[in-house]
Amino acid sequence: MIVRTTDEITGTERDVAAGHWRSKRIVLGGDRVGFSFHETVIEPGTVNEFHYANHVEAVWLVEGEGTLLDRETGVEYPLAPGTMYLLDGHERHTVTTRTRMRMLCVFNPPVVGTEVHDENGVYPLVAVD
Ligand SMILES: CC(=O)NCC[C@H](N)C(=O)O
């Protein structure tokens, strides 16, 4: 069993910030459980374009409000606490925050460390050593 706290990962290599977001990655590929698990905070009043070509991501919004645009279909969804979105088709998408958002994110395959969006705007597939 692994028991870990947000406090003990804050400020470590599991605490990754880029653009308007910060991700505290409490489970990573090196934990060898087949997924990674993150708490992500996105700053208020920001427009964030995301694309995960190599990963499926589930996002469950805990706090905050805004909108989610599926850029593949043009469909826009409201985002509020309790909403989950599953990027099961590697959809290019845009999260626009009206307020500060805090969400729980699961990635499969797992993020292994400090990945941020590469020159193609996606997380590269990184082997777990
Ligand atoms: C909502 C979202 O995808 N934010 C970007 C960071 C990513 N969720 C992560 O946890 O690395």
Side-chain angles (χ1 to χ4, degrees):
M1 179 184 294
I2 297 173
V3 179
R4 202 171 277 151
T5 68
T6 304
D7 285 348
E8 67 188 282
I9 66 172
T10 298
T12 71
E13 73 285 351
R14 288 177 178 265
D15 187 355
V16 176
H20 303 298
W21 55 264
R22 178 177 181 176
S23 171
K24 295 185 180 181
R25 300 174 167 173
I26 203 156
V27 178
L28 283 172
D31 293 314
R32 298 189 182 284
V33 292
F35 62 90
S36 59
F37 189 32
H38 319 177
E39 176 197 64
T40 294
V41 172
I42 307 181
E43 294 164 9
T46 61
V47 179
N48 305 267
E49 293 193 348
F50 297 122
H51 179 213
Y52 298 105
N54 302 312
H55 298 79
V56 169
E57 182 189 26
V59 178
W60 195 356
L61 191 60
V62 177
E63 293 168 10
E65 294 186 355
T67 59
L68 167 66
L69 172 65
D70 179 340
R71 299 203 308 273
E72 314 292 347
T73 64
V75 177
E76 188 168 69
Y77 304 89
L79 288 179
T83 301
M84 185 285 302
Y85 59 90
L86 178 62
L87 299 162
D88 60 340
H90 305 287
E91 295 87 351
R92 290 169 177 78
H93 58 291
T94 303
V95 174
T96 301
T97 61
R98 189 173 66 75
T99 67
R100 173 183 179 272
M101 279 190 185
R102 186 167 73 89
M103 58 255 285
L104 302 178
C105 310
V106 176
F107 278 81
N108 178 27
V111 165
V112 298
T114 57
E115 289 95 322
V116 293
H117 302 86
D118 66 13
E119 66 282 355
N120 301 311
V122 302
Y123 287 173
L125 268 184
V126 178
V128 177
D129 54 16

